[in-house]
DNA sequence: TAATATCCGACTATATTGGTCGGCTTTTAG
DNA sequence: CTAAAAGCCGACCAATATAGTCGGATATTA
């Protein structure tokens, strides 16, 4: 159920770019340093994101990466889907990576995963970089898991 | 984000045992056939589940596996956690597999994953085999993803 | 005692993850 | 004009996880 480092790294870099949005490019060495991502690995990640149209690059001295779209036009769902391929817990309930399952007529638990998939995708697709970023500004960053768990829905 | 075949297979076998609860053991060849799971692989899976105390076995002719607990005392959450290790999308929001992350004070997106983790674990831990099984009896099994998506919460 | 079970360790094949490395091209400051 | 700094990009690699197979030992019963 875990997402890859790649997705994590991509997201870190993206939010750094969000923070700097409208103020010129940031070079990879800087992005790598700030987010503790291995530089050569981040190169590939940024390149993929460029191909997706999320970031743009300027080469040469003083170059680097910046967002290619407004932060409210990129969602975490898109990013995770691109790098991890699937948001659903099991392929028979995935829209993007659907695979038929011969057990379907007799499967008892498919419904549970279907509900989970729906909740996860709803959250992820709602989570634009802009929304997440501004929400983070008004929240404590050090909240513990248990603390939050009693917190109810948000 | 996807769960392993192992978990899938384990769940298939479990629900077969639920269906047969109180009516004696089912041998692995039968469990394997009914659920389209490779028999030698299923052996290992059943053995693991036995160690977890979910099923019990009787060896020798006419032997096989049966549930060791009432179906309302086993949850899908337990099963997935055992075989896949983690329910959370990222270790920094996992209760069972928590790992500190140096980026935490500046991480903008942790909150989103925390919310998702909470929803997923809530659903999974609520989903006892008994509840899921009886719910499945009253539901259409062939519902498409899109159909369900418009369905609202359940 | 033969048939049918579970039990269990050892083995393997393949895919994915998580990178590194080297060299090329592009741009610009001096 | 040239050196530094940046992105571009394909090839490669090591470690781990996944998804099993196989062979044989042991237990039970018709």
């Amino acid at each position: 159920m875990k997402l890859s480092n790649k997705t994590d790294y991509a997201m870190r870099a993206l939010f750094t770019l969000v923070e700097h949005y409208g103020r010129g490019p940031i070079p990879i060495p800087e992005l790598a340093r700030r987010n503790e991502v291995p530089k050569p690995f981040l190169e590939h990640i940024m390149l993929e994101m460029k191909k997706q149209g999320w970031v743009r690059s300027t080469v040469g001295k003083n170059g680097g990466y910046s967002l290619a779209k407004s932060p409210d036009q990129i969602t975490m769902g898109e990013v995770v889907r691109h790098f991890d391929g699937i948001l659903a817990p099991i392929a028979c309930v995935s829209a993007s990576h659907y695979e038929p399952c011969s057990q379907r007529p007799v499967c008892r638990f498919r419904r549970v995963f279907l509900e989970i998939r729906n909740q996860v995708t709803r959250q992820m697709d709602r989570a634009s970089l802009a929304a997440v970023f501004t929400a983070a500004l008004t929240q404590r960053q050090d909240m513990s898991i248990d603390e939050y768990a009693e917190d109810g829905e948000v």
Side-chain angles (χ1 to χ4, degrees), chain A residues 2-23:
Chain A
K2 230 175 63 182
L3 45 76
S4 60
N5 282 12
K6 219 169 173 181
T7 306
D8 184 4
Y9 294 162
M11 217 88 75
R12 294 183 191 187
L14 280 176
F15 278 102
T16 303
L17 296 185
V18 168
E19 195 165 1
H20 204 255
Y21 187 54
R23 289 187 282 140

Side-chain angles (χ1 to χ4, degrees), chain A residues 83-101:
Chain A
F83 286 108
D84 273 13
I86 188 169
L87 272 173
I90 196 165
C92 66
V93 297
S94 171
S96 54
H97 290 69
Y98 176 75
E99 274 178 44
C101 171

Side-chain angles (χ1 to χ4, degrees), chain A residues 13-87:
Chain A
L14 280 176
F15 278 102
T16 303
L17 296 185
V18 168
E19 195 165 1
H20 204 255
Y21 187 54
R23 289 187 282 140
I26 305 181
I28 286 185
E30 170 76 5
L31 285 173
R33 195 189 51 73
R34 293 242 302 238
N35 296 293
E36 291 179 276
V37 179
K39 197 194 83 169
F41 194 26
L42 186 56
E43 280 185 13
H44 289 286
I45 296 172
M46 298 310 294
L47 220 40
E48 277 190 68
M49 294 209 279
K50 182 182 176 180
K51 278 179 194 142
Q52 294 303 307
W54 300 328
V55 298
R56 109 177 75 236
S57 67
T58 56
V59 343
K61 207 168 181 179
N62 295 336
Y65 278 92
S66 48
L67 283 188
K69 318 171 77 165
S70 150
D72 61 354
Q73 291 188 304
I74 305 170
T75 68
M76 286 178 56
E78 294 176 80
V79 179
V80 175
R81 271 195 200 90
H82 174 74
F83 286 108
D84 273 13
I86 188 169
L87 272 173

Side-chain angles (χ1 to χ4, degrees), chain A residues 5 13-14 18 29 31 49-50 56-57 59 95 97 104 106 108-109 111 117 124 128 130 136 140 143 145 148 153:
Chain A
N5 282 12
L14 280 176
V18 168
L31 285 173
M49 294 209 279
K50 182 182 176 180
R56 109 177 75 236
S57 67
V59 343
H97 290 69
R104 178 129 163 212
V106 291
R108 309 296 187 182
F109 53 87
R111 180 82 175 214
R117 181 209 82 113
M124 288 289 220
S128 73
R140 286 175 54 203
M143 186 165 288
I145 292 164
Y148 182 79
E153 325 313 302

